[in-house]
Every structure is written in C-alpha cells, then in structure tokens.
Amino acid sequence: MYEGVRITWPVLYLVHRDDEGAIRTTRVEAILEYFADHSSLSYEWMKRLARGFGLLVDHSMAVLYSPLLEQWKATGELERRLLRGFAHALLLGTIRLESGRAEDWTGLYWRPLGKRQAGKLLSSVTMFFRWLGDKPSTAAWFSATSTEHVAKQPAVAMRLASELLMRRETALLGHLEVTRRAPSHAFPGIVGPSFSGTGAVPTFPARYVGPMLYRAFVDRNGETDETAQLIAHLMFLFGLRKSEGFHLYTTDVQFVRDVPWIFFHHPEEGMIRGLNGGLITRREYLQKFDLLPRNRDEGRNKAGWKGMQDELQGTPGYSLPIDVLRARTVKLLKRYIFVTRPALMARRSRSLHDHPFLFVSSGRTADSSGGQVGDPYTMSAFEGAWERAVKNIGRMFDDPTMTKPQKYRGTTPHGFRHFFGRFLFTAGVEGSVIQRCMHHKSLNSHRFYTRLSPSEVNQIVQDANRTTVRKGVFQDLHDDFLSHLHDAPSAPLGAEREDE
C-alpha cells in the first residue's frame, strides 16, 4: 500500500545495525516518491532503478570498509573510487586475477554486466538523481554527509554516494550548451554509448513462415497446441511484440461483418466497462478477480508491456495484407473464443476464480508450473511451445540452423515483428503508416525494422539507373553526367594522368 492505494512497485530496503547492535531494515522512501511521480514507467524500469540504487549502496559500503579509505580521503581519491569505481564494477565485475588466483577487494564478487546492461543501470540511477536534485528537501538531506566524516553504515553510504552523484551531475550539465544533449548517465567516459548497427535486422526466414504457422505447433501425436498457435498467428499478422497478446481480454476482440477487430489497451490504465456499467481502469477491474495487471505481476502471470500509441483509449491492430493468412487467423480465433476456451474453462474447478484474459492454460504445463487448467496462459508456456515449434521446423526440413530460437537468425518470436515491419516497407507503405501499424510512439522507431541487407542495398543501387530518374535538376544532373561519361575517350588501365 502506498498512501492508501494498492500499487505494485519494487521496494528497496537498507539492512543495518542500530546503536544497540540489533539488525534493522529501513525502506528507501525516496524511490517510492520517484515512482509516484513517474507512474507511467514500466515495472521493469522501476525494478532496474531499485536494483541499480541498491548496487550503488553495496559498492559504496565496500569502499567505506576498505583499509585504504583514509588514504583515499587524504589524496582526494574517494570520489573517484565511489563513482568511477562503481561504473567499472558494473561493467567489468569486481573479480580480478592476481598471481593466478581470483581476488576481490570489495567482497562483492560481481560478474561483469557488459556495456549494454551496465549502461541501463547507470542511466536509471542518473535519472533518479536528476529528479532528486530538483527536490530541495531531499537534496538537503543527501547533502548532509561529507567525504571528511563518514561512518560505515548503509544510510551514510547512500547519502554520500548520492551527494557526490548530484554534485557531479550538476557540474557536468552546468557548462554544456543548451543544444547539446545531456548524457544518459553520469559515466559516459567509462561505459559509453551502445553501438547501433546499420545492417538489416534479422527477420524470421520467409520460407519457414507457412510451415511455422500451419504445422510446427502440432506434436508427433497429431495434437495441436491451439493457444500457442493462435498467439503465433496474431504476432505474425499484427506485428505484435511477444508479450502484448497476453494482456488481451476476450472483450478486446470484436467481429464486424466477419472481420475481427482487436483492440489493445494499457494493462493498468486502459479503460473498460465495469460490472455496473461505468468505465474503470483495467487495474481496478482486475481487482475484482483478485488479479494484478500482468505487467505488475511478478509471479507466473508476469508479462511485460513496452507501450503503444493511443494505449489508454484502445488502439486497433492492423494486419498484413495477406488474405489467406488473415482468413485462417479469423477461423482460428473464432474457434478459440467460441469452442476451445469455453471447453477449457468448463474443466476448471468451481472454487477457482474466473478471469477476463483471452488466452488460458490447457493444462499441459499446469502440473509442472503449479498452475491450473483455465489459468491465464503464461509466457513461459508459450516460450516452451515456440522452442518446440522451431525444433519441429528443423526436423521437417533437416535444417541444423533451426534447432533452437536464435536472435541473430530471426527465429525468436520477435523475428515475426521484424518480418512484419520489413514486409510493409518493401510493399511501399509510408513510414507514418508503418508507425501506426507497429504502434510506435515515435515516427523514427519503425526505421530499425526496415533496414536493408547489403545485398538489398546493392540491388537497389544497381537498379537505380534502370528506373525512372527524378525530374528537374536531378534529371539534368543525371543526364549531364552520363553524356560526359559516354563522350570521354577510353584509355587502357594504368594510363591515367599523373596529377589525378
């Protein structure tokens, strides 16, 4: 509970001893205040912040317990050890090989996270401190500790590291030109920006799309995993992220003249008509079933949510213009809603709660995962079904590259989304329309999915002279260049002018 409201947020506790030696725990309230001011942040982002801040405190405590503490204070190196040392510890880990033995002066024994994960943690912590620095009350509390007098307590370590981070951030930003973008975290010289490649993103192999949808979810006994198969169809046809279908309610699917319209809503703040006829949030609606929104649930029902444009009002899914697959998806969707799901829910114990989620467990994995028939279908169940389907494709076509889902081959579920974006792009659909179809909040986001492979770029360049050239000055430039090229005398290789 936070201020009388039931909300699921990550909570960070500091464990310490009081003056009498008893172990105490103290909740970091500042983080909860930050979550309250930024409630639109995803649960994963909140969890990353709590983790990053907790790691900062752990590392700061290790520094304060170091036998070299007084030396670092005397030489002015303490700030470097607290800040730069923390970033290095995330990036490279804390374990070092000394004389053939693994040594760790911090006692933390952290494994290296690498540039990408370390950068995410540092970014979330830095954003928190930027917010914290703008609050006079909390900023004054954190500034109450100096590097001259420190005690070996988590609260002191937290206040000290926080004060140094806020001061460093102010110093860094104070001299920047207003046109320059502030770094995403306070350690740009250590972690640096992640490199974003320019090559084509891996998409699911086109030759296997049909077999994947039609045959791969059928086991050797001829039984079809109807739930996983339907989710795969929706992902391919509507370009969904893996987790987005898991938030659908049965009422989110509407059939208009035999054409299905599927609407996607924010799992918490999206509106739905309640049992009394009025509009309420989905978070409030799920409370009646004793359930959490799946993006806030840390148990079996967990499913992420990255966000969609117009997600509060409800945004429709837009399908690929492939009539045969659209017709098949309609058939599977109708069968699931009117036959399969009711049959599964009929097998459910009367003592268990009903729920509004569209996809439900068939019981195949219920025993091993602790769930029941009719429970909301889980991400882990789908991931297992997907992996088996990929292996089935490998056996069908004797393809050793299809033994397991691999991101760089495009055979993970997200490979379907990449295929969706590239299909629209190669069909000549404008970027603003692709943005709507993929539910991106930014117009530029779709460009990631429409990068061309080297062979595609080469083909376009080679075909450029065989297509209609743009009119006006571009036509003149093109014609002028070609006319001079054709008029130039030929010369044998090696006979070029020496001054060229």
Side-chain angles (χ1 to χ4, degrees):
M1 300 289 288
Y2 181 80
E3 295 184 351
V5 180
R6 184 190 177 194
I7 304 175
T8 304
W9 286 339
V11 178
L12 178 65
Y13 288 93
L14 300 181
V15 181
H16 59 93
R17 292 185 182 276
D18 60 18
D19 295 337
E20 298 178 355
I23 296 178
R24 303 292 184 188
T25 58
T26 303
R27 190 169 69 177
V28 182
E29 297 293 340
I31 288 183
L32 297 180
E33 293 179 21
Y34 180 76
F35 292 161
D37 284 356
H38 300 79
S39 57
S40 62
L41 293 173
S42 69
Y43 188 86
E44 286 299 319
W45 202 100
M46 293 180 176
K47 189 166 64 173
R48 186 162 60 240
L49 168 59
R51 180 193 176 200
F53 192 81
L55 292 174
L56 175 63
V57 174
D58 288 343
H59 184 269
S60 300
M61 281 292 294
V63 171
L64 296 185
Y65 269 98
S66 171
L68 299 177
L69 175 63
E70 295 302 323
Q71 176 183 325
W72 293 337
K73 288 166 56 179
T75 59
E77 196 179 355
L78 180 57
E79 178 174 342
R80 177 177 176 275
R81 291 286 176 175
L82 285 168
L83 302 185
R84 183 179 177 85
F86 173 59
H88 273 295
L90 291 179
L91 178 65
L92 305 173
T94 60
I95 306 170
R96 301 290 180 265
L97 287 177
E98 300 289 345
S99 301
R101 297 180 57 188
E103 301 288 346
D104 186 354
W105 69 267
T106 67
L108 298 173
Y109 293 94
W110 290 352
R111 294 177 178 270
L113 294 180
K115 182 168 61 176
R116 180 178 177 84
Q117 293 302 319
K120 286 183 177 182
L121 287 171
L122 294 173
S123 296
S124 60
V125 171
T126 298
M127 289 180 64
F128 170 66
F129 282 114
R130 287 176 183 164
W131 168 84
L132 199 60
D134 292 334
K135 296 175 69 65
S137 58
T138 53
W141 184 86
F142 277 106
S143 300
T145 303
S146 72
T147 59
E148 298 300 322
H149 301 91
V150 294
K152 298 174 181 179
Q153 289 287 345
V156 175
M158 177 181 69
R159 295 168 72 178
L160 177 59
S162 303
E163 190 274 334
L164 292 175
L165 269 171
M166 285 191 292
R167 175 157 54 82
R168 179 183 175 116
E169 186 66 16
T170 302
L172 281 174
L173 299 180
H175 66 276
L176 295 179
E177 298 175 1
V178 293
T179 56
R180 289 185 59 189
R181 180 181 177 184
S184 61
H185 52 74
F187 312 90
I190 299 173
V191 175
S194 297
F195 174 75
S196 180
T198 58
V201 295
T203 65
F204 197 89
R207 64 187 182 278
Y208 292 147
V209 168
M212 184 72 173
L213 295 176
Y214 280 70
R215 300 162 56 190
F217 291 96
V218 182
D219 64 21
R220 293 180 176 179
N221 297 322
E223 293 188 22
T224 301
D225 189 336
E226 295 184 38
T227 307
Q229 185 184 57
L230 177 55
I231 292 176
H233 275 71
L234 294 181
M235 288 175 58
F236 178 79
L237 200 63
F238 293 95
L240 303 182
R241 298 182 180 95
K242 178 175 66 173
S243 61
E244 289 173 344
F246 290 79
H247 299 282
L248 287 172
Y249 294 179
T250 54
T251 54
D252 293 332
V253 182
Q254 304 292 329
F255 290 94
V256 180
R257 296 177 183 174
D258 211 37
V259 175
W261 284 88
I262 303 178
F263 292 87
F264 298 89
H265 302 259
H266 190 279
E268 298 176 78
E269 305 302 327
M271 304 303 292
I272 188 172
R273 196 163 299 280
L275 301 179
N276 61 356
L279 290 177
I280 59 176
T281 66
R282 297 199 162 207
R283 181 182 61 249
E284 296 171 320
Y285 185 74
L286 287 175
Q287 288 179 355
K288 303 179 184 298
F289 301 93
D290 197 27
L291 290 172
L292 290 170
R294 299 191 69 165
N295 63 319
R296 296 297 184 189
D297 197 320
E298 284 297 292
R300 297 179 66 257
N301 293 335
K302 178 181 177 61
W305 182 260
K306 191 171 183 179
M308 288 184 172
Q309 189 182 43
D310 301 326
E311 60 189 9
L312 297 182
Q313 299 84 4
T315 183
Y318 301 97
S319 66
L320 289 177
I322 306 176
D323 291 340
V324 62
L325 279 180
R326 185 160 47 190
R328 176 176 168 82
T329 303
V330 170
K331 181 179 179 180
L332 293 178
L333 193 56
K334 283 186 174 181
R335 174 177 173 80
Y336 192 85
I337 292 176
F338 300 116
V339 179
T340 304
R341 189 183 188 279
L344 292 174
M345 296 305 286
R347 292 166 47 197
R348 189 168 172 82
S349 172
R350 293 182 179 272
S351 62
L352 297 176
H353 293 291
D354 194 1
H355 62 82
F357 291 109
L358 172 60
F359 297 113
V360 298
S361 171
S362 64
R364 287 187 178 91
T365 60
D367 294 337
S368 60
S369 60
Q372 302 290 334
V373 175
D375 281 354
Y377 190 64
T378 65
M379 293 278 290
S380 61
F382 177 71
E383 289 164 355
W386 181 275
E387 183 171 356
R388 290 189 295 272
V390 170
K391 290 181 179 179
N392 286 340
I393 294 295
R395 283 194 294 266
M396 291 177 200
F397 296 91
D398 194 23
D399 188 341
T401 67
M402 299 291 287
T403 57
K404 63 179 180 179
Q406 295 175 303
K407 184 176 180 180
Y408 77 98
R409 296 187 187 277
T411 53
T412 65
H414 207 65
F416 270 5
R417 182 167 171 83
H418 291 175
F419 189 102
F420 181 91
R422 285 176 59 74
F423 188 99
L424 293 180
F425 177 72
T426 55
V429 179
E430 293 184 0
S432 59
V433 178
I434 296 177
Q435 175 198 5
R436 291 289 302 277
C437 291
M438 301 190 76
H439 301 106
H440 284 140
K441 294 182 179 180
S442 168
L443 176 61
N444 293 325
S445 296
H446 80 278
R447 295 178 180 175
F448 174 79
Y449 298 94
T450 57
R451 292 174 182 163
L452 300 175
S453 67
S455 61
E456 290 169 333
V457 172
N458 183 66
Q459 186 65 49
I460 291 174
V461 173
Q462 297 306 312
D463 289 345
N465 193 45
R466 295 189 287 270
T467 58
T468 302
V469 183
R470 295 184 180 183
K471 303 298 183 182
V473 293
F474 295 104
Q475 179 75 55
D476 295 339
L477 181 149
H478 190 267
D479 293 343
D480 190 48
F481 169 74
L482 286 182
S483 63
H484 282 77
L485 184 65
H486 292 313
D487 293 340
S490 60
L493 292 175
E496 295 88 349
R497 289 170 49 187
E498 293 181 358
D499 60 347
E500 289 184 341

